[in-house]
Amino acid sequence: MHLILIGFFIVMSIVSFFTMGHDKTAAQAHKRRVPERTLWNLAILGGGVGAYLGMILYRHKTKHMSFRIGFTLLAILQVALIIWAAPLLKEWS
């Protein structure tokens, strides 16, 4: 069970990371963008670490204080959740 939880967070982070990259590329090319709501939803639904890393590595949304603070807090909270929940879920397996 704990591997499923960790796997879920990893997959969501990968999706969030590449979505941030896609949105940065679209912004530079003046093409259709990924809605901010989608970026937030991906981050909230488990992709906080990927969204944060995408923001930093792609230098995307870094001027938006809500993204800088929000993605950082989500990443910290999600990592803390995994650390806290993994041993509990391991016992249930």
Side-chain angles (χ1 to χ4, degrees):
M1 182 68 155
H2 69 287
L3 293 177
I4 293 171
L5 175 71
I6 293 169
F8 175 77
F9 280 103
I10 290 171
V11 168
M12 290 303 295
S13 286
I14 290 169
V15 170
S16 295
F17 179 81
F18 285 112
T19 303
M20 289 292 285
H22 172 74
D23 190 45
K24 174 69 175 199
T25 302
Q28 291 172 329
H30 303 289
K31 294 192 175 183
R32 186 178 175 102
R33 305 278 306 278
V34 176
E36 288 186 355
R37 178 178 285 226
T38 300
L39 299 175
W40 277 109
N41 286 338
L42 288 170
I44 290 168
L45 295 174
V49 172
Y52 172 77
L53 292 174
M55 180 182 67
I56 298 302
L57 293 174
Y58 295 119
R59 295 183 191 164
H60 189 49
K61 300 287 186 187
T62 55
K63 293 181 181 178
H64 298 267
M65 191 62 69
S66 62
F67 280 89
R68 287 176 45 199
I69 293 171
F71 283 0
T72 303
L73 289 176
L74 283 171
I76 291 168
L77 287 172
Q78 289 170 4
V79 169
L81 176 66
I82 291 170
I83 291 169
W84 174 79
L88 299 174
L89 294 173
K90 201 173 196 178
E91 290 178 11
W92 293 356
S93 298

